[in-house]
Amino acid sequence: MSKKETMQFETEIQQLLDLIIHSLYSHKEIFLRELISNASDALDKLKFKSQTDQSILGDDTEFKIRIETDEKERTISVIDNGIGMTREEIIENLGTIAKSGTKGFVEALSANKDKADANVDLIGQFGVGFYSSFMVAERVVLTSRAAGSDKAWRWESKGDGSYTIEECDQAERGTKVTLYLRETSENEDQDYTKEWVVRSTVKKYSDFVTYPIEMDIERQEIPKDDEGKPIEGAEPIKKIETETLNSMKPLWNKRKSEVKDEEYKEFYKHLSHDWNDPLDIIHLNAEGILEYNALMFIPSQAPFDLFTPENKSGMQLYVRNVFIMDNCEELLPVYMRFVKGVVDSADISLNVSREILQQDRIVGKIKKNLVKKVLERLAAMLKDERETYEKFWSVFGQVLKEGLHSDFENREAISDLLLCPSTAGDELTTLQEYIDRMPEAQKEIYYITGEERDVLIASPHLEVFKEKNFEVLLLTDPVDEWVIQGLNEYKGKKLKSVVKGDVDLQSEDEKKESEEQEKKLADEFSELIKFIKKSLGDAKVADVKLSQRLTGSPVCLVAGEHDMSASMERILKAANQPVPPSKRVLEINANHELLQKMRELYDSKGESDILKEFAELLYDQALLTEGSKVVSPETFCNRLTNLMLKAVSA
Ligand code: ADP
């Protein structure tokens, strides 16, 4: 046998353990749920593996979880005959932050240093699985033998920076976790060596676990005579019986009316490892041509990895109560990855693989129905429980929006669910509400994209819209840029960016009226425009034009109707993506005093250095007001300083 080795936890794990040991006081009992859930996962994994390799099970084919307690030693053990772990897996899973759940937690933790309270909340958000043992234990011993391996390993730690690992004897396959409980001065109902405490905790948190959770229960029995009557005055006999503590009845296969709200919530917590209640519950018992039961939850908080590529579907697939697979991407589209749930169908083969699932027509139909149900539920929430919906939107709106791009079939239903900030006020608006407010003269739905609401509101591009009292959607979410491209119109109204292409806000009568005036201005300004264009050069602007959208500011930059907007360019640059060279049109406001003075100067003196400087400064101004950076802050400042100098010297 190999020698006992002492190893250090990764710093972050130790940070986490310190916090668990020193700051967590409430809900300590969830450690049991976490350990049982790990055991149940380990059994799921083994079961899945055994579907392709039955031999891996050997004689040990009855999947179960056992709980053992010892009042004298003050221990509680959770034992499973699941997949087990090799030495490397133990080190990887329990000593490093490679495991993503904890990784996200630790990242959030380091961003939140010194705020114990906030960190306790964080733990709730992420769940800390195995490590929660240290809330109640002063020492934890784990032994494990991986399926198919003949070696077993013993891991031990006091949560104080290091752990030991050594080879050990263990005939049975699977994992045993033993907690040496801290002495507790607290209530008896926190003494996890007591049968009734264990029983009620299991019932509360793990009743629906699909494997039996067994425990040996000691009973005192009065001896009986031959006729079966208790013998008076006889010493009671101790009898040990193995009892299954959980009902194992899968909640999703029950009728809605049979399930209590609390049961749904506990099941959700088991499924998602989230400590918070779900925001909404969708329970379907589909009958008819397609038979399946589905239980889906919309969480109230986002998981830390919602936007990382590792974030997988939250759906599990069962066939007639048999767990088939986790993260079943075929059941819901990627843009519904926030939904956690279970689908159980008798119409799918037990031996189904991921590859087959992708082509399975039944699964395809179930998916279609589930998507419809989720969208319907959200629509009802938006209609009847606006506040709850806004909460949902603030957490998952960004993800749902992705569907506009990827789910053509449901585009309309998804666009009904959009909530956007707008110039109409502080409240978020749906597109329908926007349309309901549109003045008669307004034909299109207008929007502007960018990082900050304040910058957008002050944007020169909005001037004419403000004047006409046309509302503009303020899209500040980075995904909006490409999401909006998936949504060209809503209810027959085109969506139009106010920073792209020409704006045409005038009625036919107004056009006729202003035609002459515009023509006059165009003539007057044509030479100055040519000069500005020449000064800035082709590298900076595609064109210089008189503006229809400015009323107060002197200039702004506008992208071509089909070009990328400035905010999209910034997003791509920030993500280190290649940005195709694009030039925008500089629009100038002929009614602005500065432009009029510049024109007069040009008409009287022709080309001059000062006008050239002005052209450059105006261009930089346009960049700044749209939220972009000037190319050379230094040159910009020098020009400004020179100008100020001239002003004070004049
Ligand atoms: P989580 O369960 O959220 O992944 P844990 O910290 O509880 O996080 O566990 C870390 C990893 O250790 C698990 O993902 C699993 O791979 C492994 N593990 C924990 N308990 C067991 C067990 N009883 N049997 C097999 N592997 C286990």
Side-chain angles (χ1 to χ4, degrees):
M1 278 209 186
S2 67
K3 275 221 222 91
K4 183 169 179 168
E5 282 180 71
T6 301
M7 299 184 140
Q8 301 299 315
F9 284 114
E10 275 189 2
T11 325
E12 290 87 347
I13 293 289
Q14 191 51 47
Q15 258 180 297
L16 175 67
L17 285 172
D18 289 344
L19 193 77
I20 289 171
I21 295 167
H22 301 297
S23 321
L24 283 184
Y25 299 108
S26 60
H27 297 299
K28 288 187 176 184
E29 74 277 13
I30 63 104
F31 83 89
L32 193 55
R33 173 184 79 190
E34 300 290 311
L35 293 182
I36 289 174
S37 164
N38 280 351
S40 159
D41 288 350
L43 287 164
D44 283 346
K45 284 181 196 158
L46 181 67
K47 201 172 198 181
F48 187 60
K49 216 169 171 187
S50 71
Q51 279 166 12
T52 47
D53 178 11
Q54 183 72 25
S55 70
I56 200 166
L57 300 180
D59 301 334
D60 190 1
T61 53
E62 234 180 277
F63 299 124
K64 61 180 162 197
I65 299 166
R66 274 184 61 76
I67 297 182
E68 288 176 4
T69 58
D70 186 328
E71 284 194 40
K72 274 202 213 93
E73 292 283 328
R74 293 201 46 73
T75 64
I76 176 169
S77 304
V78 177
I79 305 153
D80 66 72
N81 57 350
I83 190 104
M85 284 181 274
T86 61
R87 179 178 181 276
E88 288 66 38
E89 282 165 344
I90 295 178
I91 294 173
E92 165 92 3
N93 291 337
L94 307 180
T96 69
I97 59 156
K99 188 180 61 71
S100 56
T102 312
K103 191 171 164 199
F105 173 78
V106 169
E107 273 163 12
L109 191 68
S110 29
N112 226 349
K113 271 190 195 125
D114 313 325
K115 282 187 244 157
D117 288 353
N119 289 333
V120 173
D121 284 348
L122 277 176
I123 289 187
Q125 207 173 329
F126 293 108
V128 286
F130 175 78
Y131 304 111
S132 61
S133 314
F134 287 97
M135 291 198 288
V136 294
E138 57 187 17
R139 183 159 66 96
V140 178
V141 173
L142 172 143
T143 60
S144 193
R145 183 163 74 74
S149 163
D150 49 11
K151 283 192 177 180
W153 299 93
R154 182 181 190 277
W155 177 100
E156 174 170 351
S157 178
K158 290 185 173 154
D160 58 355
S162 67
Y163 61 89
T164 60
I165 188 155
E166 66 191 303
E167 210 178 328
C168 70
D169 287 323
Q170 179 179 302
E172 306 79 25
R173 173 195 65 225
T175 305
K176 173 173 183 177
V177 183
T178 302
L179 275 52
Y180 289 82
L181 299 167
R182 282 173 215 287
E183 282 301 334
T184 159
S185 56
E186 291 162 58
N187 309 339
E188 212 187 28
D189 65 3
Q190 300 213 341
D191 182 353
Y192 302 101
T193 62
K194 294 258 181 305
E195 179 215 315
W196 67 271
V197 178
V198 173
R199 184 191 289 276
S200 64
T201 313
V202 169
K203 199 81 196 149
K204 177 166 179 208
Y205 289 107
S206 316
D207 194 46
F208 28 71
V209 166
T210 42
Y211 302 100
I213 303 169
E214 294 181 350
M215 188 163 158
D216 285 345
I217 309 285
E218 197 181 286
R219 303 234 171 280
Q220 307 265 1
E221 220 173 72
I222 313 279
K224 292 176 186 146
D225 61 18
D226 292 346
E227 286 167 23
K229 281 190 194 145
I231 305 171
E232 245 175 77
E235 271 293 298
I237 322 170
K238 273 191 195 163
K239 266 199 161 178
I240 305 239
E241 276 172 18
T242 304
E243 221 182 278
T244 299
L245 305 181
N246 55 332
S247 76
M248 288 186 286
K249 176 125 170 75
L251 218 55
W252 56 89
N253 289 344
K254 292 187 182 177
R255 305 276 113 188
K256 241 193 248 178
S257 56
E258 297 168 358
V259 187
K260 291 198 212 87
D261 207 35
E262 267 318 299
E263 290 180 294
Y264 279 130
K265 287 180 183 166
E266 284 311 329
F267 177 67
Y268 166 73
K269 289 173 190 177
H270 162 77
L271 188 76
S272 63
H273 300 276
D274 182 357
W275 280 15
N276 305 288
D277 287 342
L279 195 69
D280 207 2
I281 301 162
I282 306 171
H283 190 173
L284 309 169
N285 302 111
E287 279 163 359
I289 308 171
L290 208 56
E291 283 193 18
Y292 65 88
N293 293 318
L295 184 50
M296 297 185 283
F297 299 91
I298 298 174
S300 54
Q301 294 208 33
F304 69 93
D305 60 351
L306 190 59
F307 291 100
T308 62
E310 297 96 66
N311 187 271
K312 304 209 183 90
S313 153
M315 296 300 289
Q316 294 185 342
L317 178 67
Y318 281 75
V319 171
R320 280 178 242 114
N321 286 351
V322 178
F323 172 82
I324 303 296
M325 70 179 74
D326 228 340
N327 313 125
C328 186
E329 282 157 14
E330 285 69 30
L331 290 173
L332 279 179
V334 178
Y335 75 93
M336 287 191 176
R337 61 183 177 276
F338 54 86
V339 178
K340 303 268 178 230
V342 169
V343 170
D344 193 331
S345 168
D347 299 333
I348 299 172
S349 151
L350 264 181
N351 298 317
V352 74
S353 66
R354 279 190 199 269
E355 290 68 39
I356 295 176
L357 266 188
Q358 280 167 10
Q359 283 133 37
D360 193 299
R361 284 191 39 233
I362 295 173
V363 176
K365 281 188 189 154
I366 294 179
K367 174 176 177 178
K368 215 172 148 162
N369 278 358
L370 296 182
V371 172
K372 207 170 121 223
K373 292 291 174 190
V374 173
L375 291 174
E376 279 173 9
R377 182 63 208 118
L378 290 173
M381 201 197 279
L382 172 61
K383 187 164 160 271
D384 305 326
E385 303 157 65
R386 178 72 172 225
E387 214 174 294
T388 313
Y389 185 79
E390 292 207 2
K391 185 157 183 238
F392 159 79
W393 184 258
S394 70
V395 183
F396 297 116
Q398 237 183 336
V399 182
L400 188 71
K401 275 186 222 174
E402 293 171 13
L404 288 175
H405 236 260
S406 55
D407 188 352
F408 189 72
E409 205 176 314
N410 291 300
R411 186 173 292 173
E412 200 174 316
I414 302 169
S415 51
D416 286 339
L417 293 170
L418 286 180
L419 282 184
C420 312
S422 94
T423 51
D426 292 335
E427 313 270 295
L428 296 174
T429 179
T430 64
L431 293 178
Q432 186 58 53
E433 289 160 356
Y434 177 103
I435 289 182
D436 294 344
R437 280 190 296 268
M438 272 168 65
E440 211 175 314
Q442 185 182 344
K443 300 286 174 267
E444 296 171 318
I445 298 175
Y446 297 105
Y447 69 88
I448 182 167
T449 50
E451 293 85 336
E452 282 168 61
R453 187 192 161 95
D454 290 349
V455 175
L456 290 186
I457 282 197
S459 164
H461 300 87
L462 298 190
E463 285 168 2
V464 70
F465 296 89
K466 277 184 203 154
E467 197 179 82
K468 293 214 166 256
N469 212 9
F470 287 1
E471 185 176 341
V472 178
L473 299 173
L474 305 167
L475 306 183
T476 47
D477 188 343
V479 298
D480 288 337
E481 269 293 344
W482 63 274
V483 156
I484 209 82
Q485 291 166 24
L487 185 73
N488 280 324
E489 55 171 58
Y490 180 77
K491 305 250 163 107
K493 307 250 180 296
K494 262 191 79 186
L495 270 96
K496 179 152 170 46
S497 165
V498 302
V499 301
K500 286 187 191 179
D502 293 330
V503 285
D504 179 13
L505 304 183
Q506 288 178 328
S507 65
E508 290 308 314
D509 289 349
E510 284 170 328
K511 266 186 205 154
K512 255 185 226 151
E513 234 171 72
S514 59
E515 203 171 6
E516 227 166 85
Q517 166 74 359
E518 269 168 32
K519 211 164 160 284
K520 188 170 152 260
L521 281 178
D523 284 346
E524 283 174 10
F525 275 83
S526 71
E527 288 306 309
L528 177 70
I529 284 176
K530 268 189 219 149
F531 170 73
I532 296 178
K533 198 173 166 189
K534 194 173 84 184
S535 306
L536 294 175
D538 289 344
K540 281 186 179 153
V541 290
D543 205 355
V544 179
K545 282 187 185 171
L546 287 187
S547 182
Q548 302 290 335
R549 64 191 101 207
L550 296 173
T551 60
S553 303
V555 283
C556 70
L557 282 164
V558 174
E561 190 77 63
H562 304 289
D563 288 346
M564 199 178 274
S565 71
S567 90
M568 185 66 162
E569 277 187 16
R570 290 195 294 273
I571 290 170
L572 288 178
K573 273 186 197 151
N576 276 332
Q577 296 287 321
V579 180
S582 77
K583 287 181 294 180
R584 277 169 288 132
V585 173
L586 181 75
E587 289 196 353
I588 61 171
N589 179 359
N591 297 315
H592 196 282
E593 199 184 347
L594 176 65
L595 270 303
Q596 284 170 357
K597 289 271 190 284
M598 281 172 71
R599 182 183 61 80
E600 282 165 20
L601 191 62
Y602 186 86
D603 287 350
S604 60
K605 302 222 168 106
E607 298 186 4
S608 65
D609 284 349
I610 182 113
L611 278 178
K612 218 169 160 212
E613 291 279 292
F614 280 14
E616 293 284 356
L617 270 169
L618 284 174
Y619 174 75
D620 281 349
Q621 253 189 47
L623 283 174
L624 289 173
T625 49
E626 71 175 12
S628 297
K629 284 184 182 161
V630 294
V631 182
S632 164
E634 193 196 356
T635 317
F636 173 73
C637 291
N638 285 342
R639 284 192 176 119
L640 204 60
T641 313
N642 285 339
L643 209 64
M644 286 153 94
L645 250 180
K646 273 189 196 139
V648 285
S649 319

